[in-house]
DNA sequence: CAGGATTTTGCAAACGATAGCAACAACAAT
DNA sequence: ATTGTTGTTGCTATCGTTTGCAAAATCCTG
């Protein structure tokens, strides 16, 4: 208690809050003293009193993938940007991985009043939970596929047009026998597949293959290897993520196929390693930096009680060597 | 306040804490009631009273690299494992990226008493700060290079012997003109380089090249490209991390060099994408899962006041196709 | 059934900060 | 000198828990 330095606790509190109520000279004196003795306000007490935790929860629902996932480059890039944005605003980031057993998880986090706002990365298979919470709880922003009628604010790439871009590019490359690798249980990936399908001419559509796979490198590798054996005439692959695309390339190499001569591979996300893979990956880019900025901006606006609407970011085709 | 349900606040508190002081039937009744009305204890109040936040700070000092870094797969893999371990113990993870301006950052975090313990990933160039804090503050565990006389507990791979393994392997492959790519300002990387050098016979030692580079894909790529131009006879590269190694492979491909026929490349870490790169990466593996487990275990033991000593984990050579 | 031993519960004081209100000082105006 | 105005500061209640201690309720035993 820095009140041992002359004044009352109230004065100290106000001085450190830079309140105009305190004369500038005592204010400065107290601030310097606090600095000198290394005094910091106790955040728990402050939170208790002001009902503001200055903390944002970052939630990663892992409904569809038990393991891995967090180490997917997409997550880490997103997380890095979000961490920056949030801490720039002087808030803390509380990290939570969720493996939803019961549906109460979100409500509990909110009810515990430990956080002032919630960021969710990927709706996974938890759309119902988000929908319910979203209608009554404002300070929440979700990264993911937008769907009409959703009660919560979301930010995400327009996955459908992303899928279209991918299909278009493969067709432009003269590819005829196409495959999509991904987990269509997840809304984002389902939308990518939807957009992809809409661009295919009938005869190519008939012949295309959907390969369900989890978004881990291992799963994708074996799924791709199996695909290449069962459908040796496949000459174009749209992967639901860059990690999957890299696994496809590796499986192709293992099966004696050259990329892009024998088979074109296009990924999604355009994470940093996409440019560093061999061959460099052609990918559908989502601007995660922009996305993270938007998420935070919307979140803080909602925290102030403003209303704001969801945003869909236009994805972009980045052509490198793999397709 | 669930005390509207018959009893006093004290009784509720004790019932929810499963205290033996409360008769089992009222205890059960209150617990079920709390469940039903969705009551959760206010963590701020509890923290204020008990002086325990049930929160662990995870700190990423970015002294040596302004940007990127967090999105390095190494960090994310580590973070994923640590998040698991910490939440398994019922604790929260508070994430902090630090770009040290002044040396007080660590003290401030600790003094704010927001956290019960601190995990630091990588000492970066902050060894002095850690050293000072470590001597008086127990609940802190650092991932990084061990050095004799350090005041804090650390967990980390034995980077020196890791460097030796890499050198040994390149020599076994018959490579004569070697290079190390990495930032030797960081203790971990410096140790890798040290170990590497000790294994080189005099004539190879004389001819080897140290290429300073930041640990980002972009920097490493241009550093590698430049190296291959300036020293076209280089036939073996030890990269300080897998991301750097992938950039080297890409630069080699861009320069018309084949890996591993013309040039051997060996990485460090063995992150998941190492196996997925093309060609699959030979790497020095550090067992990050084991490391994360150890860090948490030691941290919680220190939080209980036990003393325990630092751990150095033996790294392991994983041979794939790149070297 | 009294009295002691033993559960079971409630009272009240913290924990450290914030904010409404009142008090006090300083100063100007009448 | 009295009053009013403005600028500073202190008093005190409060946020929601936990916990030592005391009170009340229950049980046991002679």
């Amino acid at each position: 208690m820095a009140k041992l330095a002359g004044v009352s606790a109230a004065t100290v509190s106000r001085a450190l809050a830079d309140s105009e109520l305190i004369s500038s000279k005592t204010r400065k004196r107290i601030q310097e003293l606090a600095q000198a003795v290394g005094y910091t306000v106790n955040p728990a007490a402050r939170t208790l009193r002001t009902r503001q935790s200055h903390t944002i929860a970052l939630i990663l629902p892992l409904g569809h993938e038990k393991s891995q996932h967090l180490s997917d480059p997409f997550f880490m890039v997103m997380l890095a940007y979000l961490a920056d944005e949030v801490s720039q605003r002087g808030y803390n980031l509380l990290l939570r991985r969720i493996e939803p057993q019961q549906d109460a998880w979100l409500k509990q986090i909110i009810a515990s009043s430990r956080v002032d706002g919630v960021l969710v990365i990927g709706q996974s298979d938890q759309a119902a939970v988000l929908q319910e919470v979203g209608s009554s709880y404002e300070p929440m922003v979700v990264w993911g596929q937008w769907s009409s009628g959703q009660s919560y604010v979301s930010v995400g790439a327009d996955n459908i047009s992303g899928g279209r871009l991918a299909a278009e590019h493969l067709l432009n490359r003269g590819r005829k026998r196409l495959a999509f690798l991904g987990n269509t249980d997840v809304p984002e990936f389902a939308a990518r597949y939807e957009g992809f399908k809409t661009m295919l001419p009938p005869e190519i559509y008939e012949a295309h293959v959907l390969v369900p796979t989890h978004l881990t490198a291992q799963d994708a590798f074996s799924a791709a290897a199996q695909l290449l054996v069962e459908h040796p005439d496949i000459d174009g692959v749209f992967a639901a993520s860059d990690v999957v695309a890299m696994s496809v390339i590796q499986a192709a190499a293992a099966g004696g196929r050259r990329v892009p001569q024998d088979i074109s591979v296009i990924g999604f996300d355009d994470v940093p390693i996409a440019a560093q893979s061999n061959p460099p990956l052609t990918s559908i880019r989502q601007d995660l930096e922009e996305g993270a900025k938007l998420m935070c901006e919307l979140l803080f606006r909602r925290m102030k009680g403003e209303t704001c609407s969801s945003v869909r970011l236009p994805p972009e085709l980045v052509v490198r060597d793999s397709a």
Side-chain angles (χ1 to χ4, degrees), chain A:
Chain A
M1 283 243 247
K3 81 188 61 162
L4 298 180
V7 292
S8 76
T11 306
V12 172
S13 172
R14 281 190 269 251
L16 294 179
D18 244 350
S19 161
E20 287 297 331
L21 286 175
I22 301 296
S23 71
S24 54
K25 66 176 195 297
T26 45
R27 210 188 316 164
K28 198 162 146 225
R29 185 170 61 84
I30 293 177
Q31 284 169 2
E32 280 165 1
L33 184 70
Q35 178 81 18
V37 300
Y39 168 83
T40 338
V41 303
N42 181 318
R46 186 212 287 275
T47 297
L48 179 59
R49 180 63 231 241
T50 62
R51 331 194 117 272
Q52 294 197 19
S53 59
H54 277 260
T55 301
I56 304 292
L58 180 57
I59 300 181
L60 306 164
L62 304 179
H64 51 297
E65 314 255 337
K66 268 293 166 247
S67 59
Q68 241 272 351
H69 218 156
L70 219 175
S71 72
D72 188 297
F74 162 76
F75 276 98
M76 48 197 233
V77 171
M78 201 69 200
L79 189 134
Y81 284 126
L82 287 174
D84 272 351
E85 287 293 318
V86 166
S87 59
Q88 222 167 67
R89 288 174 163 85
Y91 275 67
N92 294 104
L93 242 208
L94 197 63
L95 197 62
R96 285 273 212 161
R97 304 179 70 188
I98 303 281
E99 293 171 9
Q101 298 93 344
Q102 5 77 330
D103 290 350
W105 59 270
L106 224 196
K107 284 186 199 163
Q108 276 187 7
I109 291 176
I110 294 169
S112 79
S113 74
R114 185 195 286 279
V115 295
D116 296 341
V118 176
L119 292 169
V120 181
I121 302 195
Q123 37 212 334
S124 182
D125 54 4
Q126 298 294 304
V129 175
L130 297 174
Q131 180 69 16
E132 190 191 339
V133 169
S135 57
S136 61
Y137 180 73
E138 275 97 38
M140 172 172 81
V141 175
V142 179
W143 174 269
Q145 175 64 22
W146 177 85
S147 69
S148 69
Q150 71 186 19
S151 63
Y152 48 89
V153 175
S154 72
V155 174
D158 183 342
N159 292 296
I160 292 184
S161 73
R164 284 204 205 99
L165 286 175
E168 211 168 43
H169 184 70
L170 290 174
L171 295 173
N172 283 344
R173 287 285 195 246
R175 301 310 184 174
K176 306 282 185 212
R177 293 278 289 144
L178 307 182
F180 174 82
L181 269 82
N183 178 358
T184 49
D185 294 341
V186 179
E188 285 87 29
F189 306 145
R192 288 169 201 178
Y193 179 51
E194 279 312 310
F196 176 73
K197 281 195 298 186
T198 60
M199 292 300 284
L200 304 183
E203 70 281 9
I204 292 184
Y205 177 81
E206 288 305 325
H208 93 278
V209 185
L210 164 64
V211 184
T213 171
H214 286 270
L215 282 246
T216 63
Q218 290 77 2
D219 265 29
F221 180 81
S222 42
Q226 197 183 340
L227 168 73
L228 294 175
V229 169
E230 289 177 3
H231 300 274
D233 54 341
I234 290 286
D235 61 3
V237 173
F238 175 30
S241 82
D242 286 346
V243 170
V244 172
M246 286 180 66
S247 292
V248 173
I249 290 177
Q250 209 209 1
R257 237 70 71 88
R258 290 165 306 160
V259 175
Q261 292 89 337
D262 304 331
I263 189 167
S264 292
V265 179
I266 184 166
F268 205 108
D269 287 345
D270 192 30
V271 294
I273 46 157
Q276 248 55 43
S277 84
N278 181 25
L281 211 56
T282 293
S283 187
I284 306 295
R285 175 177 177 74
Q286 8 185 16
D287 189 340
L288 298 186
E289 182 170 7
E290 175 70 11
K293 278 204 174 113
L294 261 168
M295 283 182 78
C296 281
E297 193 187 313
L298 294 187
L299 179 66
F300 279 85
R301 277 168 52 189
R302 295 229 84 188
M303 280 162 52
K304 285 191 289 184
E306 298 177 27
T307 61
C308 38
S309 44
S310 298
V311 177
R312 271 175 293 178
L313 299 166
E316 191 185 338
L317 174 66
V318 177
V319 180
R320 294 200 186 88
D321 299 348
S322 72

